[in-house]
Amino acid sequence: MLFSPPLKSKEEAVAPSIYTRSQYLFDQQRHAIYVRTDKLFACLFLFQWIGASVAAVLVAPYTWEGTTNTIHIHVWQAIVFGGIINSLPLFLIWKQPGMLLTRQTIAIAQMLWSGLIIAVSGGRIETHFHVFGSLAFLAFYRDWRVLITASAVTALDHLLRGIYSPGSIYGVQVAEPWRWLEHSLWVVFCDFFLLISIRFSLRDMQLMAHRQAELESSKNSVEQEVITRTAELKLSEQNLRDSEATIRAIFETAADSIITIAENGTIETANQTCEKMFGYQFHTIFGKHISFLIKQIGEDACTEDGWVKWRDNCRFRRTALRLEGVGLARGRVEIPIEISLSFVNLNGKKLITAIVRDISERKEAERRVSEFYSIVSHELRTPLTSIRGSLGLIEGGMTGDLPIETLELVNIARESCDRLIRLINDILDLKKLEAGKFEFHKMEIAPSELLGMALAFTEGMAKERGIRLEQGWTTEHPVVADTDRLNQVLVNLISNAIKFSPKNGTVELSATIAENAIRFVVRDQGKGISKDQQHKLFCKFQQVDSSDKREQEGTGLGLAICKAIVEQHGGAIGVESDTDKGASFWFTIPVSSGEFYKPTEDSADPSYVVVIDDAKELGDLLNKHLLPSRCRVIHMQNSEDAAKVIAERVPDLVIFNVSRSDERDLELQEQLRALYSVHNRPVVLFTNSAAGLEIPSPVHVEWHKRPVREEIVVRDIKRAVDFSNCPTILVVEDDSGTRKTLVHQLGKYGIRCLEASGGEEGLNLIANENPELIVLDVGLPDMNGFDFVKRLREEHSCKSLPLLVYTGRDLTVTERRDLTIGFTRYLTKSRASESDLVNAIDELLEKVRVDVEAKADS
Amino acid sequence: MYLRRSARMALLFGLWLTLLFFGTFVSLNYEKTPARVAQAANPIAPNSSTLPDTAKEFQLLMFAHPQCGCTKASLAELARFLSRNNNISTRVYFIVPHSYESWKDSETVKSASRIPGVEVTVDYDGVIAKSYQAAASGECFLLDRKSSVLFHGGITGSRGHEGGNAGLDQISAIVRSNSRLTANNAVYGCALFDAKDK
């Protein structure tokens, strides 16, 4: 194994291609060495041949016989015998260089040359060095086999000539029989070192071949990598070009203007849409300040200073800033725009990208939608309000007692009207909430007050259905909210709870503080809602039971509206429930950061109230509610005693629960009439029907059907105390039905109404009749409500007139501002109940009264 | 195809080896072929004046061709012998035909002249050589004081080859033993005379 190639290393084992390649390179190199050495030997053979011939000629060219000479046989020997020796190896070198046979023939021939030279020299020992020189020369092949052959030939030559011609090999006539062995051993000695040299040389060659193979492999890998990377790079470049082309196409064909702006506000790039939108060629706007194209962003003018503010605003935002504004097209034409500003950092270059959209059409559409809503609001709500009001009056017996069947039909009609109004209101509310156009009139309010209001609204419904409402622990920490809207949410949740609670069930209310929010909870004892149905509760037109057989009516919009209202207050809404375990609807409203709410003290003077009722129920009820208002309540169980008491001291108010016997008590009637006419004191009658009483209309503050609703009784009593003087108000309403209904409704409360069907007529009445308050509809035929108010402002005497705007439209803040004059309140038809209307009128008149007194005092 | 090629190569190789053997044979045969000389020389020197120095115990005469290359080997052996034996007077006769006067200045003559103890004498037209019946270059005669021929022959083992040989061994033995034995040996060298002169 001395001359075998190196064993495979681990690396070679795992990289067979390198090993194979190294073997190939090694073999190639060996072959090249063989061919090269063959050529060297060819030269050597020729040199030896010529040299021997020349030497023969020079030393002894002739052989003599006296004076006659012939060519010396040595000369022939050198030429012919040398030629024979050279012939075959030269032929093989020519025909098949690098082959083993050629090498072996060369080895034999070369050793024959050594033998020839030794022989010619007569066995001179010095010429034996030719043998060693020849072996060294043969070692050029780095092939141990040629050395073996050459050595064998030499040994054989020594052996044979030692026997047959020792003088020609050893220079002696008689040689020892072992002498050839001695010479051969010296040859072997020489071979030993040459073989070692060959081994090392082969190993080095193998190593170099292996390294070259590795290098080639690395080079191939690198080249392959370069090719792959180059291909990838080309692909990436192509993709980049495609991407750039795509982006450029998108940029240029985008429906919106895309402008990149430097930090200092100068325009750097703009797409074709920008050119079309603003009417400028790009080269005319390049480098100009953005204020050249944008006049206003949001509410701010886009000046150079204003731009800095928006730029800094963009820089610290993660998302784009989207605002409406005003653009300036060619000719300084203003166009409404929506502008999205975003900050871009491109390798240190800071830019603002502005995407500008022309929203002229959208604005127009919005205007049309708004107009549509306005029309719908007005045209639907106005007649429905009239219908409801009229039905309410008929139902209340204003037109006289109705047959039971008729009364039931009227009741159905009124309730259906209510439902229709609720549906319209819900749809309109939801539309506005979704569009984000719902305006909230937020104020600080205590949760307890919110719950109280909601309870007052729903108490009657609860009693009708035999449901008990219980208010649990309630925090006094205030929230900032739109009272009406939050009340709407609570009423909706409580109504639902009542509707779905079993008879004699309980609905619990609570408001607790939790994590900077007030958590309102309405818990019922209904059949609960399964988990898989809870997710659709707050969706539009969704009801847990949507079948035709469902027990409870509803539009399916209530909870969706509640969700929108709560979310726009920054809160959340949800439900916790399980089947047959009731449901807990909850919502949260962030707490107010202000101080705790402090309820205002009632500044009304203590009032002396006489209650005439054969039962104690009404007296207790009034005591409960009126004591906090510092009212003193005297309860009389019969009309005789009552007459005596009234005679002793004139009460501020008489509450008379009229019975059939009382209808015939002429003395009491006369006393009450005197009470009103002489002492100008109101009387409140509770009766199923007042038809039998002959009491002047103004005294009839309210008819209440039993069972009595506490909050309404309290409200009416409070109002009655203040109705010592009948106010005169002007109702400006183009819809005659609504107008008449209003007049009738207000007339019940002793309010004298002046009627005007248009603005001009209304202004004339104001000038001639001096009404104390104006109830104004916005949509008037000859002039709208805004113009009407504008005209009022122009009249100095009218500037302090209290105004109740009573319209079917949901007014925006701006519209409210434009409709404000002096003390002004706003009610929406169909949303506001009759009591809301009367309360608002009360409130406004009270404010005027307080204001007048304050001025008088000062 | 491969077999045909191998056969052709084998034939070629065989032919080559044959020629090599033949050449070797011819060479060896030439080298081992002695010159034709008189088998029995005169037992007494024909003329004492031809002897170099009779005072010495032995006289050695060598006849040589001035142009013979093989004689250089004989001269080399002679020089080696004389370096070890100084009781021998030695004379080398170079046969120079009158018409080849320049031969007396040949390289062989000069080299013989440089051998210590050797007296070089030109033997015009080979008169002396003929008197001794010498015929080949390198042919030697060892004589004692009485001019008796003790040895006759060459002092190389083959043509042109130096090295130990029987002739020199015999001369050495005669000189060393001081005996009167006679001996003959083959002579390897060029002919001294043309064939027609023999």
Side-chain angles (χ1 to χ4, degrees):
Chain A
M1 299 302 288
L2 184 65
F3 302 101
S4 61
L7 290 172
K8 284 184 183 181
S9 65
K10 285 181 182 176
E11 189 181 347
E12 286 163 348
V14 296
S17 59
I18 292 178
Y19 177 73
T20 308
R21 176 65 183 162
S22 71
Q23 276 300 110
Y24 173 77
L25 289 170
F26 176 71
D27 292 341
Q28 258 201 336
Q29 196 176 355
R30 285 189 88 177
H31 185 74
I33 288 170
Y34 294 154
V35 173
R36 188 178 65 207
T37 311
D38 283 349
K39 288 176 182 172
L40 288 175
F41 267 105
C43 296
L44 180 63
F45 285 139
L46 289 173
F47 173 75
Q48 288 176 149
W49 192 22
I50 293 166
S53 301
V54 170
V57 169
L58 289 177
V59 173
Y62 305 110
T63 181
W64 293 85
E65 190 171 357
T67 56
T68 305
N69 63 6
T70 54
I71 298 295
H72 198 290
I73 196 166
H74 280 178
V75 174
W76 293 118
Q77 207 174 12
I79 294 170
V80 177
F81 192 65
I84 291 168
I85 293 172
N86 282 354
S87 61
L88 186 61
L90 287 175
F91 175 76
L92 291 175
I93 289 167
W94 175 42
K95 283 295 181 185
Q96 48 183 42
M99 302 298 288
L100 177 61
L101 182 63
T102 305
R103 287 198 298 282
Q104 298 290 26
T105 308
I106 287 169
I108 294 168
Q110 182 59 26
M111 300 326 290
L112 290 177
W113 270 110
S114 294
L116 179 64
I117 289 167
I118 292 168
V120 167
S121 72
R124 281 174 63 88
I125 196 68
E126 291 83 354
T127 54
H128 282 246
F129 287 104
H130 189 273
V131 172
F132 299 113
S134 298
L135 288 172
F137 208 137
L138 287 169
F140 284 9
Y141 279 115
R142 305 184 198 185
D143 185 353
W144 59 275
R145 291 169 294 189
V146 296
L147 290 181
I148 299 301
T149 303
S151 301
V153 169
T154 301
L156 190 64
D157 182 38
H158 278 65
L159 175 64
L160 293 175
R161 284 207 284 163
I163 295 168
Y164 298 107
S165 179
S168 69
I169 190 76
Y170 303 122
V172 294
Q173 292 307 310
V174 179
E176 298 85 351
W178 44 262
R179 195 161 180 187
W180 71 274
L181 194 60
E182 182 188 349
H183 279 244
S184 298
L185 285 174
W186 282 112
V187 168
V188 170
F189 181 71
C190 178
D191 285 343
F192 176 72
F193 297 106
L194 290 175
L195 292 173
I196 289 174
S197 169
I198 287 170
R199 183 197 176 205
F200 286 144
S201 180
L202 288 175
R203 179 159 285 188
D204 288 347
M205 281 171 62
Q206 191 86 35
L207 199 61
M208 283 183 67
H210 183 71
R211 284 179 180 165
Q212 188 176 347
E214 282 185 329
L215 200 64
E216 284 180 356
S217 175
S218 300
K219 183 186 165 194
N220 289 339
S221 299
V222 170
E223 283 179 349
Q224 193 59 43
E225 188 69 16
V226 168
I227 290 167
T228 307
R229 296 287 180 193
T230 305
E232 287 177 356
L233 189 63
K234 283 182 181 173
L235 189 65
S236 298
E237 284 177 351
Q238 186 59 41
N239 288 340
L240 190 62
R241 279 196 292 274
D242 292 347
S243 177
E244 281 179 354
T246 306
I247 290 168
R248 171 56 62 182
I250 292 169
F251 179 74
E252 292 297 350
T253 59
D256 298 334
S257 296
I258 302 174
I259 308 167
T260 55
I261 308 158
E263 282 196 294
N264 62 2
T266 55
I267 296 168
E268 295 215 333
T269 60
N271 63 352
Q272 291 174 357
T273 310
C274 178
E275 294 179 340
K276 290 175 189 170
M277 185 183 290
F278 291 96
Y280 294 110
Q281 292 290 316
F282 174 66
H283 63 84
T284 59
I285 59 172
F286 175 71
K288 283 197 165 60
H289 194 269
I290 188 63
S291 57
F292 183 74
L293 295 180
I294 308 295
K295 181 184 179 184
Q296 183 181 324
I297 300 174
E299 298 294 327
D300 301 328
C302 183
T303 58
E304 291 194 9
D305 291 339
W307 167 252
V308 171
K309 171 192 157 191
W310 289 113
R311 180 198 66 192
D312 294 342
N313 200 346
C314 282
R315 182 176 290 172
F316 300 110
R317 286 172 65 94
R318 288 184 178 177
T319 55
L321 190 66
R322 180 173 294 181
L323 295 154
E324 289 188 0
V326 178
L328 283 174
R330 181 180 278 274
R332 313 312 288 166
V333 176
E334 294 187 359
I335 49 175
I337 58 167
E338 182 184 83
I339 183 167
S340 297
L341 296 171
S342 52
F343 187 78
V344 181
N345 191 338
L346 289 176
N347 297 325
K349 186 178 182 182
K350 293 161 183 171
L351 295 170
I352 309 293
T353 304
I355 299 175
V356 183
R357 177 173 294 177
D358 184 348
I359 56 170
S360 302
E361 291 180 3
R362 195 174 83 191
K363 283 287 180 190
E364 178 61 18
E366 283 177 357
R367 192 189 63 75
R368 287 171 189 274
V369 170
S370 176
E371 195 174 289
F372 171 75
Y373 281 134
S374 176
I375 291 167
V376 169
S377 303
H378 186 265
E379 298 304 326
L380 278 177
R381 283 171 169 170
T382 300
L384 282 171
T385 306
S386 302
I387 294 166
R388 186 178 66 177
S390 301
L391 290 171
L393 289 171
I394 295 166
E395 196 180 13
M398 184 186 175
T399 55
D401 287 341
L402 298 173
I404 297 298
E405 293 78 8
T406 308
L407 192 59
E408 282 179 357
L409 290 174
V410 170
N411 184 262
I412 290 168
R414 203 253 311 148
E415 285 181 353
S416 297
C417 190
D418 283 344
R419 283 175 57 193
L420 190 55
I421 287 171
R422 278 201 305 276
L423 178 63
I424 291 168
N425 288 340
D426 284 352
I427 291 171
L428 290 173
D429 284 352
L430 198 60
K431 275 285 175 193
K432 291 180 76 174
L433 284 164
E434 285 177 348
K437 293 191 175 294
F438 204 99
E439 293 188 15
F440 292 98
H441 312 291
K442 292 181 181 176
M443 57 179 287
E444 204 169 68
I445 187 166
S448 58
E449 192 171 348
L450 280 168
L451 287 183
M453 288 168 64
L455 281 170
F457 270 101
T458 52
E459 202 167 25
M461 181 183 178
K463 278 187 179 173
E464 277 179 19
R465 301 197 178 216
I467 305 296
R468 195 152 48 92
L469 296 178
E470 284 187 0
Q471 184 176 339
W473 191 86
T474 303
T475 180
E476 286 297 319
H477 202 293
V479 292
V480 174
D482 185 319
T483 309
D484 291 340
R485 296 301 154 206
L486 227 51
N487 187 47
Q488 183 180 347
V489 174
L490 279 167
V491 168
N492 193 299
L493 296 180
I494 296 167
S495 303
N496 284 345
I498 292 169
K499 278 195 276 185
F500 292 101
S501 288
K503 194 156 180 139
N504 300 322
T506 304
V507 172
E508 295 175 25
L509 310 177
S510 65
T512 55
I513 187 163
E515 294 183 358
N516 296 325
I518 304 297
R519 182 182 167 93
F520 295 85
V521 180
V522 178
R523 191 189 316 277
D524 64 43
Q525 295 174 334
K527 59 183 178 182
I529 305 155
S530 63
K531 298 279 183 194
D532 57 337
Q533 289 187 315
Q534 288 177 10
H535 69 279
K536 63 180 184 179
L537 277 175
F538 297 95
C539 299
K540 285 180 284 186
F541 300 108
Q542 291 289 340
Q543 288 191 324
V544 173
D545 180 8
S546 57
S547 67
D548 294 338
K549 296 175 183 176
R550 66 175 190 255
E551 296 172 3
Q552 305 299 338
E553 62 181 28
T555 60
L557 291 172
L559 288 177
I561 292 171
C562 289
K563 184 171 186 281
I565 291 172
V566 168
E567 286 178 351
Q568 294 207 20
H569 275 82
I573 190 166
V575 63
E576 292 164 2
S577 177
D578 214 342
T579 310
D580 298 329
K581 291 182 180 176
S584 289
F585 282 82
W586 57 267
F587 67 91
T588 57
I589 300 292
V591 296
S592 166
S593 57
E595 292 182 355
F596 281 97
Y597 174 79
K598 291 176 184 174
T600 54
E601 290 185 4
D602 192 350
S603 58
D605 293 333
S607 300
Y608 177 47
V609 179
V610 174
V611 177
I612 308 166
D613 189 5
D614 54 2
K616 205 179 175 183
E617 178 191 356
L618 186 58
D620 294 342
L621 178 72
L622 292 174
N623 254 329
K624 173 185 167 189
H625 286 282
L626 295 180
L627 274 176
S629 304
R630 291 186 291 171
C631 286
R632 185 187 170 199
V633 180
I634 304 295
H635 182 232
M636 296 292 117
Q637 288 188 327
N638 55 67
S639 55
E640 291 175 5
D641 294 340
K644 288 176 185 174
V645 169
I646 292 169
E648 287 176 4
R649 180 187 170 183
V650 177
D652 294 310
L653 171 67
V654 175
I655 298 172
F656 191 6
N657 189 8
V658 181
S659 62
R660 282 292 169 189
S661 58
D662 293 331
E663 288 176 5
R664 294 185 295 274
D665 190 341
L666 296 177
E667 185 183 354
L668 181 62
Q669 286 186 23
E670 187 61 33
Q671 202 169 11
L672 290 176
R673 195 176 293 113
L675 194 64
Y676 172 74
S677 57
V678 179
H679 303 289
N680 201 20
R681 294 289 191 270
V683 177
V684 176
L685 303 178
F686 290 90
T687 176
N688 287 325
S689 170
L693 286 178
E694 294 178 3
I695 296 174
S697 174
V699 179
H700 290 182
V701 175
E702 180 63 278
W703 291 279
H704 289 284
K705 290 199 291 185
R706 291 176 179 173
V708 177
R709 290 172 65 182
E710 288 182 31
E711 75 279 5
I712 294 173
V713 170
V714 171
R715 183 200 64 195
D716 288 347
I717 289 169
K718 283 182 178 177
R719 185 172 62 241
V721 170
D722 296 331
F723 273 12
S724 51
N725 294 313
C726 289
T728 303
I729 67 170
L730 170 64
V731 177
V732 185
E733 168 65 63
D734 63 328
D735 186 79
S736 59
T738 305
R739 197 171 64 240
K740 294 294 180 195
T741 308
L742 273 173
V743 169
H744 281 296
Q745 285 176 329
L746 296 174
K748 287 194 304 178
Y749 300 93
I751 299 171
R752 191 168 73 93
C753 293
L754 303 170
E755 297 179 46
S757 59
E760 287 296 341
E761 187 184 354
L763 289 170
N764 289 334
L765 283 171
I766 292 168
N768 298 326
E769 299 290 337
N770 292 320
E772 295 172 52
L773 183 144
I774 302 166
V775 176
L776 175 67
D777 183 24
V778 175
L780 299 173
D782 53 351
M783 67 173 70
N784 61 33
F786 302 101
D787 294 334
F788 186 85
V789 171
K790 198 173 176 184
R791 292 278 296 275
L792 286 178
R793 284 180 188 149
E794 290 167 1
E795 294 292 332
H796 180 73
S797 59
C798 300
K799 282 183 179 175
S800 58
L801 263 178
L803 175 66
L804 173 63
V805 180
Y806 188 58
T807 175
R809 292 169 56 171
D810 288 312
L811 298 171
T812 64
V813 172
T814 310
E815 287 173 335
R816 288 185 181 216
R817 192 173 59 223
D818 293 342
L819 288 168
T820 301
I821 177 171
F823 297 111
T824 308
R825 281 210 57 181
Y826 317 92
L827 289 178
T828 306
K829 289 175 183 173
S830 78
R831 284 193 198 286
S833 64
E834 185 183 313
S835 58
D836 293 334
L837 182 69
V838 175
N839 281 342
I841 291 171
D842 274 357
E843 185 188 333
L844 287 170
L845 291 173
E846 175 64 15
K847 282 184 177 176
V848 172
R849 186 180 64 78
V850 171
D851 188 51
V852 169
E853 286 175 1
K855 284 178 181 172
D857 292 342
S858 64
Chain B
M1 187 70 185
Y2 175 76
L3 287 173
R4 192 182 298 172
R5 188 178 168 192
S6 300
R8 204 162 53 228
M9 287 307 300
L11 185 65
L12 202 61
F13 209 76
L15 179 64
W16 183 60
L17 288 176
T18 306
L19 288 171
L20 285 175
F21 279 118
F22 178 74
T24 305
F25 173 76
V26 169
S27 297
L28 289 175
N29 186 53
Y30 171 76
E31 287 166 5
K32 287 291 183 183
T33 303
R36 284 193 296 272
V37 296
Q39 290 301 312
N42 290 330
I44 303 298
N47 188 353
S48 60
S49 63
T50 59
L51 301 176
D53 184 2
T54 54
K56 290 201 176 176
E57 192 68 30
F58 300 99
Q59 289 83 36
L60 181 64
L61 302 180
M62 177 185 281
F63 297 92
H65 193 299
Q67 296 299 323
C68 178
C70 313
T71 306
K72 288 175 185 172
S74 299
L75 290 173
E77 289 300 320
L78 178 63
R80 192 174 299 119
F81 173 75
L82 292 177
S83 66
R84 297 195 296 266
N85 299 280
N86 52 7
N87 59 342
I88 297 172
S89 60
T90 307
R91 178 174 287 176
V92 178
Y93 288 100
F94 282 98
I95 290 82
V96 178
H98 282 289
S99 55
Y100 293 93
E101 186 69 21
S102 61
W103 281 12
K104 65 180 182 186
D105 297 323
S106 72
E107 193 59 36
T108 309
V109 175
K110 287 177 183 174
S111 62
S113 303
R114 286 195 290 269
I115 301 170
V118 172
E119 184 183 334
V120 175
T121 304
V122 175
D123 179 13
Y124 286 103
D125 292 333
V127 175
I128 299 166
K130 286 175 181 173
S131 66
Y132 278 89
Q133 295 180 340
S137 181
E139 189 173 345
C140 296
F141 294 88
L142 181 68
L143 300 114
D144 58 10
R145 285 180 181 170
K146 295 173 182 175
S147 300
S148 298
V149 176
L150 301 176
F151 174 80
H152 170 229
I155 54 172
T156 59
S158 59
R159 184 179 276 255
H161 282 175
E162 297 176 30
N165 59 85
L168 208 56
D169 291 344
Q170 287 169 352
I171 291 171
S172 297
I174 291 167
V175 171
R176 196 165 46 248
S177 62
N178 200 13
S179 66
R180 292 299 179 264
L181 295 174
T182 59
N184 292 307
N185 191 28
V187 181
Y188 298 95
C190 296
L192 291 174
F193 304 103
D194 291 334
K196 62 182 187 303
D197 295 335
K198 289 178 182 175

